[in-house]
Amino acid sequence: MPADFDVTIIGGGVIGLACARALSHNRSVLLVEQHFVFGSETSSRNSEVIHAGLYYPPGSLKESLCIEGRQKLYRFCDDHDVPYKKIGKLIVAPDEENPELIRLEQKALKLGIPLSRLSASEIKEKEPKVRAAAALFSPETGIIDSHTYMLRLAQEAEKSGATLMKQTRFLQATSTEDGWLLNLDTEDGEYTISTNVVINAAGLHSHDVALRAGVPASALPTLHYCRGHYFSYQQASPFQHLIYPLPEKNLAGLGIHATLDLGGQARFGPDTEYLTGHELRYGVADHLREKFANAVSSYFPCLESASLQPAYSGIRPKLSGPGQPAEDFLIFETNSEKKSKILHLFGIESPGLTSSLALADKITARLPTAT
Ligand SMILES: Cc1cc2nc3c(=O)[nH]c(=O)nc-3n(C[C@H](O)[C@H](O)[C@H](O)COP(=O)(O)OP(=O)(O)OC[C@H]3O[C@@H](n4cnc5c(N)ncnc54)[C@H](O)[C@@H]3O)c2cc1C
């Protein structure tokens, strides 16, 4: 008997939705999301920056999918009326011959990412309020309305026939001869459906989902929750572009930067704070203001710290712990020799939003060809 669905995707964040859109062209697709709104976890708790692809380890999926994903994302925004602005970004350094700045410059050249060095007068002209001895300008960096983007992905998937179910929680997967039986908890009670392939795009819960699909805990990479806080700036934005300091050691974060939303409001963040345990705690403590004021005033000396207001936070599902080198996105496949294929997506932290369309295409290419 044919399965109910060719593919079932667990998780309706930006990655699950991008997969649903890509796969529904020629497959029957079910996507289940436990919450009432798609993308209400990490996908709506980020900087909404379309990254150029400068920072990531050479040859990593983060690097290649960010570069490819950025191009695909700008095209998608144009074609589907998703608001964005390619406003560009300054990466600023306190000294002229900063080795990290030189490294980024050389890397951009090698990868073909547009990037130019700004002279002191050009920095002043572009961003009069910024203090920096040297800066790079990345014209390909932009900001996006991530909520409209996810809405369009969902609409496109549904147009191609995908079934997208909210308030539906995946409970358990049992492997069969040629696929899977999935237990789902819906508003109307528990259901069991059959599917050939499963994609685990559950973000911060991807390990829990893997365990519920029978992957032994010993086979799973360690998952670290790393929270990033944001403070909004309660004054007119002092900047026209995104302003980034040099990235943190081991790329734990990109440094407390200044981003703008599409309405022109400035905010600062995110920092990095590793959490103990796997509880989703999104509070932004008021006492962090001092840490933010110190970091931001290094490139924005006129900052009035009283204008910093705790705003929101997001949690990165990291595969690297404190002080460890950055890990790549991981597409983890169990049952590869069987017909009942399951792909787990682990460690989809930044630049996951930028990479989403390219990652979805990569996953599509790893699935059996549609009949
Ligand atoms: C602080 C921060 C800043 C960032 N900034 C940027 C940026 O500027 N640019 C960029 O490109 N990227 C950025 N990112 C990364 C980006 O936000 C993520 O890579 C992306 O949102 C991950 O999407 P996802 O779909 O994998 O996860 P999520 O959005 O977390 O989606 C997973 C979904 O799975 C659902 N789910 C889990 N378990 C179940 C279950 N059992 N049953 C049903 N549903 C389930 C959850 O409810 C959730 O909605 C940032 C991330 C953080 C934390």
Side-chain angles (χ1 to χ4, degrees), residues 10-16 32-35 39-43 45-51 168-170 201-205 208-209 228 230 270 314-316 348-355:
I10 301 165
V14 72
I15 303 297
V32 296
E33 165 54 49
Q34 62 186 348
H35 296 305
S40 49
E41 292 199 353
T42 310
S43 296
R45 297 177 161 276
N46 56 51
S47 303
E48 295 188 296
V49 172
I50 301 179
H51 288 295
T168 301
R169 191 169 142 71
F170 160 79
L204 293 161
H205 312 274
D208 174 58
V209 165
Y230 292 86
I315 301 177
R316 308 168 179 90
I348 312 298
E349 50 170 327
S350 193
L353 174 64
T354 312
S355 307

mmCIF file of all heavy atoms in Angstrom, residues 10-16 32-35 39-43 45-51 168-170 201-205 208-209 228 230 270 314-316 348-355, ligand 1:
data_model
loop_
_atom_site.group_PDB
_atom_site.id
_atom_site.type_symbol
_atom_site.label_atom_id
_atom_site.label_comp_id
_atom_site.label_asym_id
_atom_site.label_seq_id
_atom_site.Cartn_x
_atom_site.Cartn_y
_atom_site.Cartn_z
ATOM 1 N N ILE A 10 9.305 17.489 10.113
ATOM 2 C CA ILE A 10 8.965 17.835 11.498
ATOM 3 C C ILE A 10 9.592 19.191 11.802
ATOM 4 O O ILE A 10 10.819 19.338 11.808
ATOM 5 C CB ILE A 10 9.476 16.760 12.478
ATOM 6 C CG1 ILE A 10 8.838 15.411 12.121
ATOM 7 C CG2 ILE A 10 9.149 17.142 13.929
ATOM 8 C CD1 ILE A 10 9.520 14.228 12.757
ATOM 9 N N GLY A 11 8.756 20.196 12.000
ATOM 10 C CA GLY A 11 9.233 21.540 12.325
ATOM 11 C C GLY A 11 8.875 22.545 11.248
ATOM 12 O O GLY A 11 9.269 22.388 10.085
ATOM 13 N N GLY A 12 8.139 23.568 11.648
ATOM 14 C CA GLY A 12 7.719 24.623 10.709
ATOM 15 C C GLY A 12 8.434 25.928 10.984
ATOM 16 O O GLY A 12 7.817 26.987 11.047
ATOM 17 N N GLY A 13 9.766 25.860 11.147
ATOM 18 C CA GLY A 13 10.585 27.066 11.144
ATOM 19 C C GLY A 13 10.979 27.340 9.700
ATOM 20 O O GLY A 13 10.473 26.703 8.757
ATOM 21 N N VAL A 14 11.914 28.272 9.508
ATOM 22 C CA VAL A 14 12.267 28.660 8.142
ATOM 23 C C VAL A 14 12.850 27.482 7.347
ATOM 24 O O VAL A 14 12.618 27.362 6.130
ATOM 25 C CB VAL A 14 13.213 29.889 8.164
ATOM 26 C CG1 VAL A 14 14.610 29.549 8.650
ATOM 27 C CG2 VAL A 14 13.264 30.552 6.811
ATOM 28 N N ILE A 15 13.561 26.585 8.029
ATOM 29 C CA ILE A 15 14.183 25.472 7.311
ATOM 30 C C ILE A 15 13.124 24.446 6.881
ATOM 31 O O ILE A 15 13.103 24.007 5.720
ATOM 32 C CB ILE A 15 15.279 24.799 8.179
ATOM 33 C CG1 ILE A 15 16.340 25.821 8.611
ATOM 34 C CG2 ILE A 15 15.905 23.613 7.453
ATOM 35 C CD1 ILE A 15 17.134 26.470 7.504
ATOM 36 N N GLY A 16 12.238 24.077 7.811
ATOM 37 C CA GLY A 16 11.177 23.127 7.462
ATOM 38 C C GLY A 16 10.302 23.679 6.341
ATOM 39 O O GLY A 16 9.955 22.958 5.391
ATOM 40 N N VAL A 32 4.627 19.187 9.935
ATOM 41 C CA VAL A 32 3.934 19.360 11.217
ATOM 42 C C VAL A 32 4.703 20.342 12.093
ATOM 43 O O VAL A 32 5.922 20.279 12.201
ATOM 44 C CB VAL A 32 3.730 18.014 11.955
ATOM 45 C CG1 VAL A 32 2.814 17.107 11.165
ATOM 46 C CG2 VAL A 32 5.040 17.306 12.280
ATOM 47 N N GLU A 33 3.957 21.251 12.692
ATOM 48 C CA GLU A 33 4.539 22.266 13.587
ATOM 49 C C GLU A 33 3.738 22.250 14.891
ATOM 50 O O GLU A 33 2.521 22.325 14.867
ATOM 51 C CB GLU A 33 4.472 23.648 12.915
ATOM 52 C CG GLU A 33 4.706 24.830 13.834
ATOM 53 C CD GLU A 33 6.016 24.746 14.637
ATOM 54 O OE1 GLU A 33 7.065 24.477 14.035
ATOM 55 O OE2 GLU A 33 5.961 24.935 15.874
ATOM 56 N N GLN A 34 4.453 22.192 16.003
ATOM 57 C CA GLN A 34 3.754 22.051 17.288
ATOM 58 C C GLN A 34 3.032 23.328 17.738
ATOM 59 O O GLN A 34 2.037 23.254 18.439
ATOM 60 C CB GLN A 34 4.728 21.611 18.371
ATOM 61 C CG GLN A 34 5.848 22.602 18.634
ATOM 62 C CD GLN A 34 6.908 22.090 19.607
ATOM 63 O OE1 GLN A 34 6.700 21.086 20.263
ATOM 64 N NE2 GLN A 34 8.025 22.779 19.689
ATOM 65 N N HIS A 35 3.544 24.486 17.294
ATOM 66 C CA HIS A 35 2.940 25.744 17.766
ATOM 67 C C HIS A 35 1.806 26.213 16.848
ATOM 68 O O HIS A 35 1.627 25.697 15.739
ATOM 69 C CB HIS A 35 3.997 26.848 17.852
ATOM 70 C CG HIS A 35 5.059 26.551 18.873
ATOM 71 N ND1 HIS A 35 4.774 26.274 20.190
ATOM 72 C CD2 HIS A 35 6.415 26.481 18.760
ATOM 73 C CE1 HIS A 35 5.898 26.053 20.845
ATOM 74 N NE2 HIS A 35 6.907 26.164 19.998
ATOM 75 N N GLY A 39 7.345 29.268 12.613
ATOM 76 C CA GLY A 39 8.537 30.092 12.841
ATOM 77 C C GLY A 39 8.540 30.830 14.156
ATOM 78 O O GLY A 39 9.211 31.855 14.286
ATOM 79 N N SER A 40 7.800 30.334 15.148
ATOM 80 C CA SER A 40 7.737 31.121 16.387
ATOM 81 C C SER A 40 8.882 30.816 17.353
ATOM 82 O O SER A 40 8.952 31.423 18.413
ATOM 83 C CB SER A 40 6.374 30.984 17.067
ATOM 84 O OG SER A 40 6.009 29.650 17.170
ATOM 85 N N GLU A 41 9.787 29.902 16.986
ATOM 86 C CA GLU A 41 10.974 29.714 17.842
ATOM 87 C C GLU A 41 12.152 30.494 17.224
ATOM 88 O O GLU A 41 12.048 31.682 16.983
ATOM 89 C CB GLU A 41 11.241 28.221 18.049
ATOM 90 C CG GLU A 41 10.108 27.596 18.896
ATOM 91 C CD GLU A 41 10.440 26.281 19.560
ATOM 92 O OE1 GLU A 41 11.517 25.711 19.311
ATOM 93 O OE2 GLU A 41 9.592 25.804 20.347
ATOM 94 N N THR A 42 13.260 29.828 16.930
ATOM 95 C CA THR A 42 14.471 30.562 16.510
ATOM 96 C C THR A 42 14.254 31.426 15.263
ATOM 97 O O THR A 42 14.860 32.493 15.124
ATOM 98 C CB THR A 42 15.614 29.551 16.276
ATOM 99 O OG1 THR A 42 15.688 28.712 17.424
ATOM 100 C CG2 THR A 42 16.940 30.240 16.080
ATOM 101 N N SER A 43 13.384 30.973 14.373
ATOM 102 C CA SER A 43 13.210 31.714 13.111
ATOM 103 C C SER A 43 12.611 33.098 13.302
ATOM 104 O O SER A 43 12.644 33.918 12.380
ATOM 105 C CB SER A 43 12.369 30.897 12.129
ATOM 106 O OG SER A 43 13.067 29.720 11.791
ATOM 107 N N ARG A 45 13.491 34.846 16.165
ATOM 108 C CA ARG A 45 14.294 35.411 17.258
ATOM 109 C C ARG A 45 15.733 35.574 16.784
ATOM 110 O O ARG A 45 16.655 34.990 17.332
ATOM 111 C CB ARG A 45 14.237 34.475 18.476
ATOM 112 C CG ARG A 45 12.844 34.350 19.033
ATOM 113 C CD ARG A 45 12.751 33.387 20.183
ATOM 114 N NE ARG A 45 11.549 33.638 20.953
ATOM 115 C CZ ARG A 45 11.442 34.554 21.902
ATOM 116 N NH1 ARG A 45 12.474 35.282 22.231
ATOM 117 N NH2 ARG A 45 10.308 34.745 22.524
ATOM 118 N N ASN A 46 15.897 36.299 15.708
ATOM 119 C CA ASN A 46 17.249 36.464 15.151
ATOM 120 C C ASN A 46 17.440 37.891 14.663
ATOM 121 O O ASN A 46 16.607 38.755 14.902
ATOM 122 C CB ASN A 46 17.489 35.431 14.048
ATOM 123 C CG ASN A 46 16.436 35.518 12.964
ATOM 124 O OD1 ASN A 46 16.175 36.576 12.435
ATOM 125 N ND2 ASN A 46 15.806 34.385 12.646
ATOM 126 N N SER A 47 18.543 38.143 13.956
ATOM 127 C CA SER A 47 18.857 39.523 13.525
ATOM 128 C C SER A 47 18.219 39.880 12.188
ATOM 129 O O SER A 47 18.328 41.013 11.741
ATOM 130 C CB SER A 47 20.372 39.721 13.403
ATOM 131 O OG SER A 47 21.026 39.429 14.595
ATOM 132 N N GLU A 48 17.633 38.898 11.507
ATOM 133 C CA GLU A 48 17.012 39.114 10.175
ATOM 134 C C GLU A 48 18.011 39.702 9.172
ATOM 135 O O GLU A 48 17.657 40.539 8.347
ATOM 136 C CB GLU A 48 15.783 40.003 10.285
ATOM 137 C CG GLU A 48 14.648 39.384 11.093
ATOM 138 C CD GLU A 48 13.379 40.200 11.024
ATOM 139 O OE1 GLU A 48 13.406 41.345 11.508
ATOM 140 O OE2 GLU A 48 12.370 39.705 10.479
ATOM 141 N N VAL A 49 19.251 39.262 9.291
ATOM 142 C CA VAL A 49 20.282 39.746 8.364
ATOM 143 C C VAL A 49 20.535 38.703 7.283
ATOM 144 O O VAL A 49 20.657 37.512 7.576
ATOM 145 C CB VAL A 49 21.599 40.048 9.125
ATOM 146 C CG1 VAL A 49 22.740 40.352 8.155
ATOM 147 C CG2 VAL A 49 21.398 41.227 10.073
ATOM 148 N N ILE A 50 20.583 39.159 6.045
ATOM 149 C CA ILE A 50 21.005 38.295 4.936
ATOM 150 C C ILE A 50 22.522 38.452 4.861
ATOM 151 O O ILE A 50 23.032 39.515 4.514
ATOM 152 C CB ILE A 50 20.335 38.714 3.608
ATOM 153 C CG1 ILE A 50 18.807 38.640 3.755
ATOM 154 C CG2 ILE A 50 20.818 37.818 2.465
ATOM 155 C CD1 ILE A 50 18.028 39.047 2.507
ATOM 156 N N HIS A 51 23.229 37.394 5.258
ATOM 157 C CA HIS A 51 24.682 37.478 5.346
ATOM 158 C C HIS A 51 25.331 37.266 3.977
ATOM 159 O O HIS A 51 24.828 36.495 3.154
ATOM 160 C CB HIS A 51 25.213 36.422 6.324
ATOM 161 C CG HIS A 51 24.905 36.758 7.754
ATOM 162 N ND1 HIS A 51 25.439 37.865 8.380
ATOM 163 C CD2 HIS A 51 24.108 36.151 8.670
ATOM 164 C CE1 HIS A 51 24.995 37.904 9.631
ATOM 165 N NE2 HIS A 51 24.179 36.889 9.834
ATOM 166 N N THR A 168 0.401 20.654 15.803
ATOM 167 C CA THR A 168 0.534 19.204 15.623
ATOM 168 C C THR A 168 1.938 18.812 16.046
ATOM 169 O O THR A 168 2.922 19.273 15.456
ATOM 170 C CB THR A 168 0.293 18.818 14.141
ATOM 171 O OG1 THR A 168 -1.020 19.258 13.785
ATOM 172 C CG2 THR A 168 0.420 17.329 13.928
ATOM 173 N N ARG A 169 1.993 17.997 17.072
ATOM 174 C CA ARG A 169 3.293 17.661 17.653
ATOM 175 C C ARG A 169 3.677 16.245 17.287
ATOM 176 O O ARG A 169 2.889 15.305 17.449
ATOM 177 C CB ARG A 169 3.184 17.802 19.168
ATOM 178 C CG ARG A 169 4.470 17.744 19.892
ATOM 179 C CD ARG A 169 4.244 18.172 21.348
ATOM 180 N NE ARG A 169 5.060 17.378 22.246
ATOM 181 C CZ ARG A 169 6.367 17.480 22.350
ATOM 182 N NH1 ARG A 169 7.028 18.353 21.631
ATOM 183 N NH2 ARG A 169 7.033 16.710 23.171
ATOM 184 N N PHE A 170 4.872 16.103 16.760
ATOM 185 C CA PHE A 170 5.402 14.768 16.477
ATOM 186 C C PHE A 170 5.741 14.097 17.806
ATOM 187 O O PHE A 170 6.417 14.691 18.655
ATOM 188 C CB PHE A 170 6.660 14.896 15.608
ATOM 189 C CG PHE A 170 7.536 13.684 15.663
ATOM 190 C CD1 PHE A 170 7.233 12.554 14.929
ATOM 191 C CD2 PHE A 170 8.658 13.657 16.485
ATOM 192 C CE1 PHE A 170 8.044 11.420 14.998
ATOM 193 C CE2 PHE A 170 9.471 12.544 16.563
ATOM 194 C CZ PHE A 170 9.163 11.414 15.821
ATOM 195 N N ALA A 201 13.514 18.755 11.091
ATOM 196 C CA ALA A 201 13.931 20.172 11.050
ATOM 197 C C ALA A 201 13.413 20.858 12.308
ATOM 198 O O ALA A 201 12.844 21.943 12.248
ATOM 199 C CB ALA A 201 13.383 20.843 9.792
ATOM 200 N N ALA A 202 13.621 20.201 13.446
ATOM 201 C CA ALA A 202 12.995 20.657 14.695
ATOM 202 C C ALA A 202 13.859 21.636 15.482
ATOM 203 O O ALA A 202 13.563 21.933 16.643
ATOM 204 C CB ALA A 202 12.613 19.454 15.544
ATOM 205 N N GLY A 203 14.928 22.136 14.879
ATOM 206 C CA GLY A 203 15.718 23.204 15.503
ATOM 207 C C GLY A 203 16.245 22.810 16.877
ATOM 208 O O GLY A 203 16.982 21.834 17.028
ATOM 209 N N LEU A 204 15.854 23.568 17.890
ATOM 210 C CA LEU A 204 16.335 23.325 19.258
ATOM 211 C C LEU A 204 15.876 21.973 19.799
ATOM 212 O O LEU A 204 16.414 21.473 20.777
ATOM 213 C CB LEU A 204 15.833 24.446 20.182
ATOM 214 C CG LEU A 204 16.433 25.822 19.889
ATOM 215 C CD1 LEU A 204 15.580 26.941 20.494
ATOM 216 C CD2 LEU A 204 17.869 25.910 20.421
ATOM 217 N N HIS A 205 14.871 21.365 19.154
ATOM 218 C CA HIS A 205 14.341 20.073 19.617
ATOM 219 C C HIS A 205 14.773 18.922 18.711
ATOM 220 O O HIS A 205 14.219 17.819 18.797
ATOM 221 C CB HIS A 205 12.812 20.114 19.654
ATOM 222 C CG HIS A 205 12.278 21.331 20.340
ATOM 223 N ND1 HIS A 205 12.087 21.411 21.691
ATOM 224 C CD2 HIS A 205 11.942 22.549 19.842
ATOM 225 C CE1 HIS A 205 11.634 22.612 22.005
ATOM 226 N NE2 HIS A 205 11.539 23.321 20.896
ATOM 227 N N ASP A 208 15.748 15.770 20.547
ATOM 228 C CA ASP A 208 14.592 15.096 21.140
ATOM 229 C C ASP A 208 13.846 14.308 20.055
ATOM 230 O O ASP A 208 13.475 13.147 20.251
ATOM 231 C CB ASP A 208 13.678 16.155 21.778
ATOM 232 C CG ASP A 208 12.395 15.560 22.292
ATOM 233 O OD1 ASP A 208 12.471 14.653 23.141
ATOM 234 O OD2 ASP A 208 11.307 15.971 21.836
ATOM 235 N N VAL A 209 13.667 14.927 18.897
ATOM 236 C CA VAL A 209 12.976 14.253 17.787
ATOM 237 C C VAL A 209 13.772 13.023 17.343
ATOM 238 O O VAL A 209 13.209 11.952 17.095
ATOM 239 C CB VAL A 209 12.745 15.246 16.619
ATOM 240 C CG1 VAL A 209 12.385 14.531 15.324
ATOM 241 C CG2 VAL A 209 11.664 16.259 16.991
ATOM 242 N N GLY A 228 21.394 34.457 22.769
ATOM 243 C CA GLY A 228 21.871 35.774 22.336
ATOM 244 C C GLY A 228 20.797 36.796 22.647
ATOM 245 O O GLY A 228 19.639 36.622 22.273
ATOM 246 N N TYR A 230 19.160 40.821 22.765
ATOM 247 C CA TYR A 230 19.114 42.074 21.985
ATOM 248 C C TYR A 230 18.599 43.202 22.867
ATOM 249 O O TYR A 230 17.691 42.998 23.682
ATOM 250 C CB TYR A 230 18.160 41.940 20.794
ATOM 251 C CG TYR A 230 18.631 40.991 19.726
ATOM 252 C CD1 TYR A 230 18.363 39.631 19.813
ATOM 253 C CD2 TYR A 230 19.336 41.449 18.621
ATOM 254 C CE1 TYR A 230 18.791 38.751 18.828
ATOM 255 C CE2 TYR A 230 19.760 40.582 17.631
ATOM 256 C CZ TYR A 230 19.487 39.234 17.742
ATOM 257 O OH TYR A 230 19.907 38.372 16.766
ATOM 258 N N PRO A 270 23.388 40.086 18.759
ATOM 259 C CA PRO A 270 23.256 39.388 20.024
ATOM 260 C C PRO A 270 24.621 39.121 20.652
ATOM 261 O O PRO A 270 25.619 39.051 19.955
ATOM 262 C CB PRO A 270 22.614 38.069 19.592
ATOM 263 C CG PRO A 270 23.146 37.825 18.199
ATOM 264 C CD PRO A 270 23.393 39.174 17.598
ATOM 265 N N GLY A 314 17.259 35.102 21.401
ATOM 266 C CA GLY A 314 17.086 33.876 20.625
ATOM 267 C C GLY A 314 18.110 32.863 21.117
ATOM 268 O O GLY A 314 19.116 33.254 21.729
ATOM 269 N N ILE A 315 17.854 31.596 20.862
ATOM 270 C CA ILE A 315 18.778 30.560 21.351
ATOM 271 C C ILE A 315 19.360 29.803 20.162
ATOM 272 O O ILE A 315 18.617 29.305 19.299
ATOM 273 C CB ILE A 315 18.065 29.593 22.325
ATOM 274 C CG1 ILE A 315 17.507 30.382 23.514
ATOM 275 C CG2 ILE A 315 19.028 28.507 22.803
ATOM 276 C CD1 ILE A 315 16.719 29.543 24.521
ATOM 277 N N ARG A 316 20.696 29.724 20.129
ATOM 278 C CA ARG A 316 21.375 29.018 19.041
ATOM 279 C C ARG A 316 21.508 27.538 19.411
ATOM 280 O O ARG A 316 21.994 27.235 20.497
ATOM 281 C CB ARG A 316 22.778 29.573 18.821
ATOM 282 C CG ARG A 316 22.859 31.085 18.634
ATOM 283 C CD ARG A 316 24.311 31.532 18.732
ATOM 284 N NE ARG A 316 24.500 32.965 18.547
ATOM 285 C CZ ARG A 316 24.478 33.857 19.531
ATOM 286 N NH1 ARG A 316 24.272 33.477 20.784
ATOM 287 N NH2 ARG A 316 24.681 35.136 19.273
ATOM 288 N N ILE A 348 21.660 24.029 13.234
ATOM 289 C CA ILE A 348 21.312 25.029 12.202
ATOM 290 C C ILE A 348 21.180 26.407 12.870
ATOM 291 O O ILE A 348 20.088 26.932 13.075
ATOM 292 C CB ILE A 348 20.027 24.630 11.432
ATOM 293 C CG1 ILE A 348 20.089 23.164 10.984
ATOM 294 C CG2 ILE A 348 19.841 25.559 10.232
ATOM 295 C CD1 ILE A 348 21.216 22.816 10.020
ATOM 296 N N GLU A 349 22.322 26.934 13.227
ATOM 297 C CA GLU A 349 22.383 28.280 13.815
ATOM 298 C C GLU A 349 22.632 29.272 12.664
ATOM 299 O O GLU A 349 22.385 28.960 11.506
ATOM 300 C CB GLU A 349 23.490 28.311 14.883
ATOM 301 C CG GLU A 349 24.811 27.758 14.386
ATOM 302 C CD GLU A 349 25.968 27.988 15.337
ATOM 303 O OE1 GLU A 349 25.975 29.019 16.020
ATOM 304 O OE2 GLU A 349 26.887 27.160 15.367
ATOM 305 N N SER A 350 23.152 30.463 12.969
ATOM 306 C CA SER A 350 23.430 31.429 11.907
ATOM 307 C C SER A 350 24.533 30.876 10.991
ATOM 308 O O SER A 350 25.467 30.249 11.505
ATOM 309 C CB SER A 350 23.882 32.753 12.526
ATOM 310 O OG SER A 350 23.867 33.759 11.565
ATOM 311 N N PRO A 351 24.441 30.975 9.694
ATOM 312 C CA PRO A 351 23.523 31.746 8.876
ATOM 313 C C PRO A 351 22.357 30.914 8.305
ATOM 314 O O PRO A 351 22.138 30.878 7.084
ATOM 315 C CB PRO A 351 24.422 32.235 7.756
ATOM 316 C CG PRO A 351 25.362 31.062 7.520
ATOM 317 C CD PRO A 351 25.530 30.395 8.852
ATOM 318 N N GLY A 352 21.573 30.284 9.199
ATOM 319 C CA GLY A 352 20.506 29.388 8.742
ATOM 320 C C GLY A 352 19.425 30.093 7.943
ATOM 321 O O GLY A 352 18.920 29.545 6.954
ATOM 322 N N LEU A 353 19.058 31.297 8.373
ATOM 323 C CA LEU A 353 18.023 32.038 7.645
ATOM 324 C C LEU A 353 18.502 32.335 6.217
ATOM 325 O O LEU A 353 17.800 32.077 5.237
ATOM 326 C CB LEU A 353 17.711 33.335 8.414
ATOM 327 C CG LEU A 353 16.777 34.341 7.785
ATOM 328 C CD1 LEU A 353 15.383 33.767 7.629
ATOM 329 C CD2 LEU A 353 16.707 35.613 8.649
ATOM 330 N N THR A 354 19.714 32.845 6.104
ATOM 331 C CA THR A 354 20.263 33.168 4.771
ATOM 332 C C THR A 354 20.398 31.911 3.917
ATOM 333 O O THR A 354 20.180 31.950 2.707
ATOM 334 C CB THR A 354 21.669 33.809 4.930
ATOM 335 O OG1 THR A 354 21.609 34.833 5.911
ATOM 336 C CG2 THR A 354 22.165 34.377 3.614
ATOM 337 N N SER A 355 20.756 30.797 4.552
ATOM 338 C CA SER A 355 21.062 29.561 3.812
ATOM 339 C C SER A 355 19.828 28.739 3.471
ATOM 340 O O SER A 355 19.942 27.714 2.775
ATOM 341 C CB SER A 355 21.979 28.666 4.664
ATOM 342 O OG SER A 355 23.102 29.363 5.105
HETATM 343 C C1 LIG B 1 20.338 35.105 18.176
HETATM 344 C C2 LIG B 1 20.293 34.577 16.770
HETATM 345 C C3 LIG B 1 20.571 35.418 15.694
HETATM 346 C C4 LIG B 1 20.549 34.930 14.381
HETATM 347 N N1 LIG B 1 20.727 35.791 13.341
HETATM 348 C C5 LIG B 1 20.676 35.323 12.078
HETATM 349 C C6 LIG B 1 20.828 36.220 10.973
HETATM 350 O O1 LIG B 1 20.899 37.429 11.137
HETATM 351 N N2 LIG B 1 20.890 35.685 9.721
HETATM 352 C C7 LIG B 1 20.800 34.343 9.504
HETATM 353 O O2 LIG B 1 20.931 33.925 8.353
HETATM 354 N N3 LIG B 1 20.572 33.485 10.523
HETATM 355 C C8 LIG B 1 20.491 33.942 11.798
HETATM 356 N N4 LIG B 1 20.255 33.092 12.837
HETATM 357 C C9 LIG B 1 20.016 31.686 12.561
HETATM 358 C C10 LIG B 1 18.571 31.397 12.134
HETATM 359 O O3 LIG B 1 17.654 32.125 12.910
HETATM 360 C C11 LIG B 1 18.329 29.887 12.298
HETATM 361 O O4 LIG B 1 19.348 29.182 11.636
HETATM 362 C C12 LIG B 1 16.999 29.444 11.701
HETATM 363 O O5 LIG B 1 15.944 30.245 12.161
HETATM 364 C C13 LIG B 1 16.755 27.990 12.082
HETATM 365 O O6 LIG B 1 15.507 27.605 11.589
HETATM 366 P P1 LIG B 1 14.926 26.176 11.914
HETATM 367 O O7 LIG B 1 13.730 26.009 11.068
HETATM 368 O O8 LIG B 1 16.018 25.154 11.834
HETATM 369 O O9 LIG B 1 14.570 26.217 13.480
HETATM 370 P P2 LIG B 1 13.285 26.818 14.234
HETATM 371 O O10 LIG B 1 12.902 28.137 13.748
HETATM 372 O O11 LIG B 1 13.586 26.689 15.690
HETATM 373 O O12 LIG B 1 12.121 25.814 13.846
HETATM 374 C C14 LIG B 1 11.995 24.522 14.364
HETATM 375 C C15 LIG B 1 10.525 24.267 14.567
HETATM 376 O O13 LIG B 1 10.334 22.900 14.918
HETATM 377 C C16 LIG B 1 9.208 22.846 15.759
HETATM 378 N N5 LIG B 1 9.216 21.579 16.479
HETATM 379 C C17 LIG B 1 10.164 21.145 17.336
HETATM 380 N N6 LIG B 1 9.833 19.932 17.831
HETATM 381 C C18 LIG B 1 8.645 19.595 17.267
HETATM 382 C C19 LIG B 1 7.797 18.458 17.388
HETATM 383 N N7 LIG B 1 8.083 17.424 18.203
HETATM 384 N N8 LIG B 1 6.642 18.431 16.664
HETATM 385 C C20 LIG B 1 6.328 19.478 15.840
HETATM 386 N N9 LIG B 1 7.100 20.584 15.705
HETATM 387 C C21 LIG B 1 8.244 20.639 16.401
HETATM 388 C C22 LIG B 1 9.405 24.057 16.668
HETATM 389 O O14 LIG B 1 8.216 24.432 17.296
HETATM 390 C C23 LIG B 1 9.950 25.095 15.708
HETATM 391 O O15 LIG B 1 8.940 25.948 15.212
HETATM 392 C C24 LIG B 1 20.256 33.558 14.153
HETATM 393 C C25 LIG B 1 19.962 32.717 15.235
HETATM 394 C C26 LIG B 1 19.963 33.210 16.531
HETATM 395 C C27 LIG B 1 19.610 32.318 17.685
#
